[in-house]
Amino acid sequence: MTIGFLGLGTMGSPMAINLIKAGFSLQVWNRSRGPVDTVAKVGAQACDTPADAARGADVLIAMLADDDTSRVVLNDGGALAALARGAIVVNMATVSLDFAREMQAKCDALGLRYIAAPVLGRVNVAQAGKLNILAAGASDTLAQVQPIFDVLGQRTWRFGDVPEQANVVKLASNFMIASAIETMSEAAALTQGHGVPGADFLDMITTAVFAVPAYTGYGGAIAKQVFEPAGFKLALGAKDVRLALLAGEAANVPMPFGTVLRDNHLDSLAHGEGHLDWAALSKVAARRAGQEDAAAD
């Protein structure tokens, strides 16, 4: 099976390397050349354009940043048009429900099969091949790409026959992660305001009550005030919260806390923090409590 792989960012690169090590033949492309050369050293075929990476591939995997980037690469970059009829397109990015429907229609028109398979897990999880894969699409198509998912993840969760169903699950999951970061941030500011170091509180709460990756990982970063290098950029988290709110609006689902999260992300972006790790959202709560200088010490 030949795989075209588009997007070799912090998540895409370890995923592509794991597939190569598992014996798959990969044709890879990335907007910047450095990651392409790195993955090529492991055995991938380096490609100059998205269309080159897609040409001759049985499966095309896209691991791109957002709707706009995905649209430019898959449509304008000629990737979809370069695929043979019957090829499978696996979009593993976190995108809007509207974009998922757009891609489904485009693939149908070209005689391609489209599935959505966004992932849960940070860079270290991707490196270990332990991602959780949230998949939706035609069951027979999902079965064909399951060997790929088995290399990339510890479990594949199937959520329906319509690709956008996987995307709404991913948005709901990221909404909950953003909520966890926000509540840890406010709670740490609360204890700090009464003389208990926020780091001590976070150490306790992520050990005794919420000893799960989303809390231990982001809680540890908040406690240590370590936001670079970013495992997942705050700007991308802001994008996902916005997409979750749009999904809620489309189904008449009120998400009042989502509006709080949106505004706090905007606060952080306005302070030039979008390039930092998502845990840097905690800086908003610290600023509002007059604790920013203390948190930086």
Side-chain angles (χ1 to χ4, degrees):
M1 181 185 292
T2 299
I3 299 173
F5 201 106
L6 306 174
L8 300 174
T10 55
M11 294 291 288
S13 287
M15 292 167 66
I17 289 171
N18 284 341
L19 289 171
I20 295 166
K21 290 180 177 178
F24 288 99
S25 174
L26 258 67
Q27 303 169 173
V28 301
W29 174 88
N30 191 66
R31 182 177 296 175
S32 57
R33 184 70 185 193
V36 174
D37 294 337
T38 298
V39 176
K41 291 178 182 177
V42 184
Q45 177 184 337
C47 298
D48 294 325
T49 68
D52 290 339
R55 194 168 290 113
D58 303 296
V59 176
L60 180 67
I61 295 175
M63 190 63 178
L64 301 162
D66 51 30
D67 289 17
D68 291 341
T69 302
S70 298
R71 187 176 291 110
V72 167
V73 172
L74 293 170
N75 288 342
D76 301 347
L80 295 183
L83 291 167
R85 293 183 66 87
I88 301 171
V89 178
V90 182
N91 193 347
M92 305 190 80
T94 303
V95 297
S96 70
L97 306 192
D98 283 345
F99 183 75
R101 288 189 283 266
E102 176 187 330
M103 284 296 100
Q104 176 75 74
K106 179 75 172 180
C107 287
D108 286 347
L110 293 171
L112 306 173
R113 292 176 287 168
Y114 180 80
I115 62 176
V119 302
L120 290 176
R122 287 165 68 89
V123 177
N124 61 319
V125 180
Q127 291 170 337
K130 298 296 184 181
L131 294 166
N132 277 279
I133 298 172
L134 318 176
S139 58
D140 58 339
T141 304
L142 287 171
Q144 285 186 253
V145 296
Q146 189 59 52
I148 294 173
F149 294 162
D150 289 341
V151 171
L152 299 176
Q154 61 180 323
R155 180 169 176 178
T156 300
W157 304 78
R158 295 192 183 186
F159 288 103
D161 299 325
V162 182
E164 68 192 67
Q165 291 174 307
N167 296 120
V168 76
V169 170
K170 177 59 188 296
L171 293 175
S173 300
N174 278 13
F175 167 74
M176 292 187 69
I177 293 172
S179 301
I181 296 172
E182 178 64 25
T183 55
M184 283 191 289
S185 302
E186 292 185 22
L190 173 62
T191 65
Q192 185 84 28
H194 289 273
V196 177
D200 291 350
F201 164 77
L202 289 167
D203 181 42
M204 179 279 296
I205 205 70
T206 58
T207 301
V209 182
F210 297 111
V212 293
Y215 282 87
T216 58
Y218 288 112
I222 295 169
K224 297 174 184 176
Q225 292 289 290
V226 175
F227 306 128
E228 293 183 281
F232 184 78
K233 292 182 180 179
L234 189 146
L236 294 177
K239 178 262 296 184
D240 292 348
V241 169
R242 177 177 59 81
L243 294 183
L245 284 168
L246 288 172
E249 182 178 345
N252 295 321
V253 176
M255 301 180 69
F257 193 55
T259 60
V260 173
L261 291 172
R262 179 200 61 200
D263 289 349
N264 286 358
H265 280 77
L266 289 174
D267 185 315
S268 195
L269 293 174
H271 283 82
E273 296 161 353
H275 66 289
L276 299 177
D277 189 84
W278 205 0
L281 184 65
S282 61
K283 294 168 72 69
V284 176
R287 272 194 296 269
R288 290 176 176 173
Q291 298 169 3
E292 187 174 28
D293 291 340
D297 289 341

